[in-house]
Amino acid sequence: MARAVLDKTKRGWWKSAVFYELYPRSFQDTTGTGIGDLKGVISRLDYLETLGIDAIWLCPICASPQVDNGYDISDFCAIDPLFGTMQDMETLIAEAKKRGIGILVDLTLNHSSNQHRWFREALKSRDNPFHDYYVWRDGGPDTPPNDMRAGFGGSAWEYVPELGQWYFHQFAPEQPDLNWDNPTLRQELYRVLRFWVDKGVAGFRLDVIDQIAKDPDRKITINGPRLHEFFREMSREALLEEGLVTVGEAWGADTQRAKLYSTPDGSELSMVFQFEHIGLDQQPGKDKWDMAPLSLPRLKDCLRRWQQELHNCGWNSLFFNNHDLPRIVSRWGNDRQYRAKSAKMLATMLYGLQGTPYIYQGEELGMTNIRLELEQYQDLETLNLFRERTAQGYAPEAVMESIWARGRDNARTPMQWTAGENAGFTTGTPWLPVNENYLQINAEAELADPDSVFHYYQRLISLRKTYPVFRDGYFTLLCPEDERIFAYTRDTEQEHLLVVCNFSDEQAAFDLPEEYRDAQVLISNDSQPETRTLRPWEAWMLYR
Ligand code: NOJ
C-alpha cells in the first residue's frame, strides 16, 4: 500500500501521524541474549513501514543498570551495550528515515540512575559541584524529612550516612530525582537534548515530565509552580527546530493544564500523555491495584471532555496501552471468545478521535496479557507491591489478582513474530516468558490473514491519512448514558463521521441518525455491519 510520507520538518506533522511505541527489550533479539536489541529493531523496520506508522517512540536505550528496565539512566548520551552501539543507533535513525519513520528518544529528565557520574560525584561531599544536581535535605538517620512515599513503594527519601543527608526519589532509590531548580543542571539536560537532535531524531518522549518541578517541602510532586517556566525554557533553548515533536508523560494533567502544555504556539510541548481515562476502573481515592468495574458512561464523559476542551487549543495523544499498562483487550475487551473482534472495536473507538494515536507493540496483533507465577515477574513495582501488601496483611491470592490485572510485565512479554521457537523473538532464553498463545497470535499469521487485527489497524491508519475529518473534526458524544454503546460524531463543514462501538458481550440497540442512513461504511469489524442492533463488540465508522 503506497504511503504518504509526512514532512517532519514542519510543525504539526504529528497531527496526521500514527506513532508506535517500541519496547526494545521485548521486540527482536539478534544475539541470543534473550533481550531485544537495536539491530533487531532495524530488521523489523519493513514490518513497521507495512503497518503504516510515521514515528517510533523508542523506550529507553541509554546506558543503564536496568533496575527499572532503562528508566534509570547512567549516561544520557550513550547506548546501553545490552541493546548495541551508538553506531547501531545511527543506523536505526538513518534506516527509519529512509522509510519515512522518525525516531523519538525516551529520556528521563526527572531523575537519573544512582550510577550516573553526576550522582556518584554528588555523593562525595556537600561541596561537590554536582551535589546540588539532586534534591537533598539534612537530618538524622532515623527520621526522613517527611512522610512522602515513592512511586514503587517505601519512603521517597534515602539516607546517606557519609553526608548526614537524605536524597529525594519519586521512584526507586536507584532513581534519585534531579534538581531542576539548579540552572547548571538544566543546561546539562538541554545539552543532552541537543546531542540527540544532532543525531537526527524526530523528537522525544519525556518521562514523567510533569514531576520535574517538585517541591518536597510542600509535598508537591506533579505540576510544581515552575513547571511551565521550565517547559518554555527547554523548548526555547533545546528544541529549536520547527518539526521536533515532544510528548510528555503527565499523570497529573487535567484538561486545563494539558491545554497549556500542548499550546499550539509550540512554546511548551507538542502533546501529553494524560491518564484520566486509564484510571476510571479503579476504586476512587485508592491506587491502581484496587480495581473497580469500568463504567462506560464515565469513560465516554471523560473522553468527551478531553476531545472538546482541547479542540483547536491543544493536542491529545490517543492510547489505551503502553509498557506500564495491562493490554486493553484483556482489560476492557474480551480476550477469549471475542479477542480479535473486541481488539478491533477498541481500535475503532480510539482511531476515530482527534489526536495522535500510539500503538503499543503487539497491540496491532491483538496480543493479550500474560499471567505468571510471582517468581517469574521481573518488574520491581510488582515485586515491591507483593512484599508491601502481604506485610500489611493482604491475602497473597488477592495481591496476585491485582498483579494479574495490573502488573506492568503483563504487557511486556516478547513480541510474537512467528509460530516458531520463542515466537521468533530470540534463539536464547527470553528475559520474560513468551505468551503461550503465540502459536495462534503472531505477526506472520496476521500478515497472511486479510481479516486480521493487523490489517484492520493498517486500514485505520490509512483512513486517518485520507480523510481530513479525522484530524480536524469537532467531537460530539451521542447517547451518553448508554451502558453498552459508545457512539460519537466528528464534523467539519465538509465532512461528517459517525463512529459506533458495542462495548459488550451482548447485542446492543442503536438509534441510527436519519442523516447517516445512506452513508458510506468506511470500516467495520463485522462483514455485514448491523447499524441498528450491533452484535457483541461490533464497531463501524460511517462517513458522509
Ligand atoms: C514512567 C515510565 O513509563 C515507567 O516505566 C517508569 O518506571 C517510570 N516513569 C519511572 O521512570
Side-chain angles (χ1 to χ4, degrees):
M1 198 181 297
R3 189 169 68 104
V5 171
L6 301 169
D7 179 354
K8 299 195 180 57
T9 61
K10 295 225 167 70
R11 168 138 42 103
W13 63 268
W14 56 84
K15 296 189 176 180
S16 314
V18 176
F19 285 29
Y20 188 90
E21 183 196 354
L22 195 152
Y23 200 64
R25 172 178 279 270
S26 297
F27 196 63
Q28 178 69 68
D29 177 21
T30 59
T31 55
T33 55
I35 293 179
D37 47 55
L38 292 174
K39 286 203 168 81
V41 178
I42 297 167
S43 75
R44 296 294 185 182
L45 284 172
D46 289 343
Y47 166 85
L48 296 174
E49 187 184 8
T50 304
L51 179 58
I53 55 122
D54 303 282
I56 295 171
W57 151 21
L58 192 65
C59 288
I61 36 75
C62 293
S64 160
Q66 303 289 329
V67 169
D68 184 20
N69 290 2
Y71 284 93
D72 48 320
I73 295 177
S74 53
D75 185 343
F76 291 100
C77 299
I79 301 295
D80 196 294
L82 208 54
F83 298 122
T85 62
M86 188 56 84
Q87 205 186 344
D88 294 336
M89 185 65 182
E90 286 163 2
T91 308
L92 171 59
I93 295 168
E95 287 296 318
K97 203 172 262 174
K98 277 189 207 159
R99 293 163 176 82
I101 297 174
I103 301 284
L104 269 63
V105 174
D106 193 340
L107 293 176
T108 62
L109 303 184
N110 175 69
H111 49 268
S112 75
S113 159
N114 62 347
Q115 298 306 310
H116 196 290
R117 186 176 64 90
W118 300 339
F119 192 70
R120 293 210 293 213
E121 286 293 319
L123 285 177
K124 288 184 179 161
S125 78
R126 292 176 179 224
D127 310 325
N128 188 290
F130 294 97
H131 185 266
D132 191 50
Y133 278 23
Y134 296 88
V135 181
W136 300 93
R137 294 292 178 269
D138 294 341
D142 303 324
T143 343
N146 62 30
D147 61 359
M148 289 175 83
R149 311 274 304 161
F152 298 143
S155 167
W157 298 97
E158 189 75 8
Y159 192 62
V160 179
E162 296 75 16
L163 296 176
Q165 284 188 310
W166 297 81
Y167 70 84
F168 183 63
H169 59 90
Q170 297 190 60
F171 296 93
E174 294 87 349
Q175 294 166 299
D177 265 63
L178 291 163
N179 175 19
W180 274 69
D181 285 325
N182 180 319
T184 319
L185 175 267
R186 298 206 300 278
Q187 289 305 322
E188 293 261 24
L189 295 177
Y190 302 156
R191 269 195 290 281
V192 168
L193 291 165
R194 292 304 313 166
F195 172 87
W196 287 108
V197 171
D198 292 344
K199 290 272 176 220
V201 301
F204 299 94
R205 182 266 186 184
L206 300 170
D207 189 67
V208 292
I209 200 67
D210 62 346
Q211 293 174 225
I212 56 175
K214 55 238 145 194
D215 179 351
D217 298 327
R218 292 198 281 156
K219 297 194 181 176
I220 293 175
T221 53
I222 51 173
N223 300 314
R226 299 185 70 188
L227 189 60
H228 292 289
E229 174 195 335
F230 294 155
F231 283 170
R232 285 194 206 110
E233 184 185 84
M234 173 171 72
S235 165
R236 225 175 29 240
E237 303 209 5
L239 306 168
L240 307 169
E241 289 78 356
E242 274 282 286
L244 282 176
V245 60
T246 47
V247 51
E249 186 194 24
W251 286 82
D254 54 21
T255 51
Q256 291 312 312
R257 290 194 173 97
K259 270 195 247 183
L260 296 171
Y261 300 154
S262 62
T263 166
D265 70 10
S267 59
E268 299 202 7
L269 306 171
S270 315
M271 60 187 126
V272 290
F273 289 128
Q274 63 84 16
F275 293 86
E276 203 183 317
H277 62 302
I278 292 296
L280 290 177
D281 58 359
Q282 71 194 44
Q283 295 172 29
K286 299 259 183 101
D287 61 29
K288 67 174 181 179
W289 307 105
D290 300 298
M291 296 146 312
L294 174 70
S295 141
L296 189 64
R298 280 186 69 209
L299 175 67
K300 292 192 278 190
D301 187 56
C302 171
L303 290 172
R304 177 199 59 73
R305 217 166 356 89
W306 279 90
Q307 287 289 298
Q308 293 178 345
E309 292 186 22
L310 267 59
H311 185 72
N312 286 344
C313 55
W315 194 251
N316 277 293
S317 54
L318 307 172
F319 70 100
F320 280 142
N321 298 283
N322 71 27
H323 66 289
D324 293 330
L325 303 172
R327 292 203 177 265
I328 202 66
V329 68
S330 300
R331 187 176 175 192
W332 293 345
N334 175 335
D335 67 1
R336 295 164 309 279
Q337 190 186 352
Y338 294 109
R339 183 190 61 84
K341 191 143 195 187
S342 62
K344 292 174 188 172
M345 182 286 284
L346 289 158
T348 315
M349 194 253 107
L350 199 66
Y351 281 61
L353 299 177
Q354 185 173 47
T356 301
Y358 286 75
I359 299 170
Y360 173 56
Q361 68 183 43
E363 177 186 337
E364 77 280 16
L365 310 176
M367 273 178 64
T368 63
N369 275 354
I370 204 168
R371 207 180 148 105
L372 297 174
E373 299 300 322
L374 181 68
E375 306 72 52
Q376 293 174 294
Y377 284 105
Q378 309 267 329
D379 180 23
L380 82 169
E381 184 188 54
T382 293
L383 300 175
N384 286 350
L385 178 89
F386 189 84
R387 218 174 303 121
E388 280 204 350
R389 287 219 159 173
T390 47
Q392 287 162 9
Y394 283 79
E397 302 74 43
V399 184
M400 286 313 293
E401 285 300 333
S402 298
I403 290 172
W404 288 326
R406 289 284 211 269
R408 303 193 298 178
D409 280 347
N410 299 341
R412 293 177 176 181
T413 58
M415 183 72 177
Q416 295 166 205
W417 294 107
T418 68
E421 197 190 354
N422 295 321
F425 163 67
T426 180
T427 54
T429 307
W431 73 278
L432 197 64
V434 174
N435 196 316
E436 283 171 5
N437 60 22
Y438 76 95
L439 293 172
Q440 294 80 45
I441 308 171
N442 62 69
E444 200 173 58
E446 292 278 310
L447 283 162
D449 172 8
D451 196 30
S452 64
V453 179
F454 179 92
H455 284 116
Y456 198 82
Y457 268 82
Q458 194 186 43
R459 280 160 57 209
L460 282 173
I461 294 170
S462 143
L463 287 173
R464 288 185 66 94
K465 291 176 191 249
T466 309
Y467 299 96
V469 68
F470 284 96
R471 190 193 52 218
D472 302 327
Y474 185 75
F475 175 98
T476 307
L477 183 65
L478 308 181
C479 53
E481 298 306 328
D482 196 301
E483 303 272 350
R484 291 184 188 150
I485 295 285
F486 194 151
Y488 59 88
T489 53
R490 300 279 313 282
D491 299 282
T492 63
E493 281 191 11
Q494 298 79 23
E495 296 182 276
H496 307 278
L497 178 74
L498 169 66
V499 180
V500 182
C501 299
N502 179 359
F503 261 72
S504 80
D505 281 340
E506 320 282 326
Q507 290 202 348
F510 176 68
D511 200 3
L512 184 72
E514 202 50 41
E515 60 277 22
Y516 278 94
R517 272 212 169 158
D518 302 315
Q520 174 195 350
V521 181
L522 278 189
I523 192 166
S524 172
N525 63 356
D526 197 289
S527 53
Q528 287 172 311
E530 192 35 85
T531 49
R532 289 180 192 269
T533 309
L534 284 83
R535 298 186 185 92
W537 305 102
E538 182 169 341
W540 34 260
M541 290 181 174
L542 298 187
Y543 178 82
R544 62 189 180 88

